[in-house]
């Protein structure tokens, strides 16, 4: 599912394509009743139409599409959501994203947004867990998020402080969006492998040195995934409908039973906080 590197890839792809454009028309499928939060889909579409897109931002796993007039269109892709941009002339003969049909990345169309250059932004979502808001105050949606792991301001001591007050497994804290923003199951497993730390270890029992290693590992893993344009284990595609490449370079995630690249020990799978968790019992202590 889309985590920080995937959402950031979509943000970077979409920026030159949609920034400066105006939303000409918005449509939300009646099949996606939970997509729009805080108002009806009809009200959301009405308020969105006619607005110019100024810039695209990101906070954790949220995409922030900032509009003229001080409104932000916020999107969370959850498990299987995706935003695909179709240039004018590239979309269906009837003009627009294809109708809903269960085939290909555009098969699960839940919303579409026609822009003033006749291109379209298509929102697809197999499981329909994704959400959108149109708000004047971004903090209503992202106000409780922890620090951005790739920002300059995120120092090792911030991670150490977040871990020190929690007795939960370190993996659960890494995935807690209020402790640190943007990390999900894939990059939590990968960062813990990189740092040589057992996912189940109690967060507050990590030494200062281990917390520092983990801080570096989190940044390294996210940067590498960004370079690979994200990971596509199942549904994730970028703004052109193409898969990322990082799933080919993971060290432990979904490699259960395969040999560790460092020591050859078979990668183990356990559950931590209800989530499938992968680690090397020799490299991670
Ligand atoms: Zn190993």
């Amino acid at each position: 599912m889309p985590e920080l590197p995937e959402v950031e890839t979509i943000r970077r792809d979409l920026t030159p394509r949609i920034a400066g454009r105006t939303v000409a028309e918005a449509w939300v499928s009646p099949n996606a009743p939970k997509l729009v939060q805080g108002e009806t889909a009809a009200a959301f579409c009405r308020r969105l139409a006619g607005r110019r897109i100024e810039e695209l931002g990101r906070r954790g796993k949220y995409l922030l599409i900032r509009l003229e007039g001080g409104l932000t269109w916020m999107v969370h892709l959850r498990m299987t959501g995706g935003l695909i941009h179709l240039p004018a002339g590239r979309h269906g003969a009837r003009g627009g994203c294809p109708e809903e049909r269960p085939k290909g990345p555009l098969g699960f169309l839940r919303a579409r947004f026609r822009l003033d250059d006749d291109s379209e932004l298509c929102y697809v979502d197999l499981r329909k867990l994704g959400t959108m808001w149109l708000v004047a105050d971004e903090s209503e949606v992202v106000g409780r998020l922890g620090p951005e792991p790739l920002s300059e301001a995120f120092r090792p001591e911030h991670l150490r402080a977040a871990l020190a007050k929690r007795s939960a497994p370190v993996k659960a804290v890494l995935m807690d969006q209020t402790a640190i923003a943007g990390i999900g199951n894939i990059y939590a497993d990968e960062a813990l492998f990189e740092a040589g730390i057992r996912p189940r270890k109690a967060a507050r029992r990590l030494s200062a040195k281990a917390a520092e290693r983990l801080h570096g590992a989190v940044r390294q893993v996210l940067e590498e995934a960004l370079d690979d344009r994200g990971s596509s284990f199942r549904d994730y595609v970028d703004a052109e409908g193409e898969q990322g490449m990082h799933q080919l370079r993971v060290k432990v995630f979904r490699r259960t039973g395969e040999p560790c690249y460092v020591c050859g020990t078979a990668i183990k799978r356990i559950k931590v906080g209800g989530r499938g968790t992968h680690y090397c019992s020799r490299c991670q202590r």
Side-chain angles (χ1 to χ4, degrees):
M1 76 203 63
E3 303 180 25
L4 186 156
E6 290 77 28
V7 179
E8 180 62 18
T9 298
I10 291 172
R11 186 192 73 78
R12 292 178 184 181
D13 281 1
L14 284 179
T15 295
R17 292 158 164 263
I18 72 169
R21 301 260 65 98
T22 295
V23 180
E25 193 182 359
W27 170 85
V28 173
S29 168
N31 271 333
K34 291 179 182 162
L35 178 60
V36 173
Q37 302 284 304
E39 61 187 322
T40 65
F44 169 85
C45 291
R46 217 167 30 239
R47 288 207 298 144
L48 196 54
R51 287 204 193 255
R52 187 171 173 277
I53 296 168
E54 289 188 333
E55 58 158 20
L56 282 79
R58 181 193 53 75
R59 187 74 177 87
K61 305 179 196 172
Y62 293 81
L63 182 69
L64 314 181
I65 306 174
R66 299 197 175 102
L67 307 166
E68 67 176 335
L71 282 182
T72 303
W73 171 14
M74 309 182 78
V75 183
H76 196 303
L77 303 169
R78 305 284 169 198
M79 295 285 285
T80 58
L83 276 169
I84 298 169
H85 182 254
L86 299 181
R90 283 257 325 266
H91 44 66
R94 294 170 57 200
C97 304
E99 297 303 316
E100 290 182 81
R101 61 193 150 79
K103 199 176 146 212
L106 283 170
F108 301 96
L109 184 72
R110 307 302 181 198
R112 64 178 168 221
F113 307 91
R114 191 168 58 78
L115 307 181
D116 61 347
D117 61 352
D118 214 29
S119 68
E120 284 209 333
L121 190 58
C122 310
Y123 177 75
V124 295
D125 195 346
L126 167 65
R127 294 185 58 183
K128 298 196 276 192
L129 297 169
T131 38
M132 291 182 185
W133 300 254
L134 198 52
V135 294
D137 178 3
E138 293 176 3
S139 71
E140 277 176 39
V141 180
V142 295
R144 292 187 62 237
L145 291 185
E148 281 294 318
L150 292 182
S151 77
E152 283 296 315
F154 178 63
R155 309 294 309 161
E157 51 270 30
H158 295 127
L159 182 60
R160 206 166 82 202
L163 295 168
K165 56 189 177 192
R166 302 283 300 273
S167 55
V170 56
K171 179 175 177 187
V173 178
L174 276 186
M175 292 178 60
D176 176 351
Q177 301 300 300
T178 66
I180 175 172
I183 301 172
N185 213 26
I186 301 171
Y187 302 113
D189 281 6
E190 292 295 304
L192 287 164
F193 175 77
E194 234 24 269
I197 297 166
R198 287 267 174 123
R200 260 195 192 138
K201 188 165 180 139
R204 64 182 159 83
R205 290 194 46 233
L206 255 65
S207 67
K209 242 185 167 162
E212 190 160 331
R213 272 203 323 275
L214 185 55
H215 173 269
V218 161
R219 288 165 76 112
Q220 181 194 327
V221 159
L222 294 174
E223 295 273 14
E224 285 175 0
L226 255 177
D227 284 347
D228 288 338
R229 302 181 52 77
S231 303
S232 297
F233 283 94
R234 262 178 38 186
D235 305 277
Y236 166 71
V237 289
D238 64 24
E240 293 184 33
E242 302 290 333
Q243 295 201 327
M245 293 296 285
H246 196 69
Q247 69 280 6
L248 304 174
R249 285 188 20 184
V250 291
K251 311 257 174 71
V252 289
F253 188 74
R254 298 214 178 145
R255 294 195 62 243
T256 312
E258 292 176 47
C260 169
Y261 293 131
V262 174
C263 72
T265 305
I267 300 299
K268 284 201 166 122
R269 184 179 190 277
I270 54 170
K271 287 228 163 172
V272 176
R275 305 298 301 273
T277 295
H278 313 78
Y279 75 104
C280 173
S281 57
R282 188 150 169 205
C283 294
Q284 293 173 256
R285 296 283 166 192

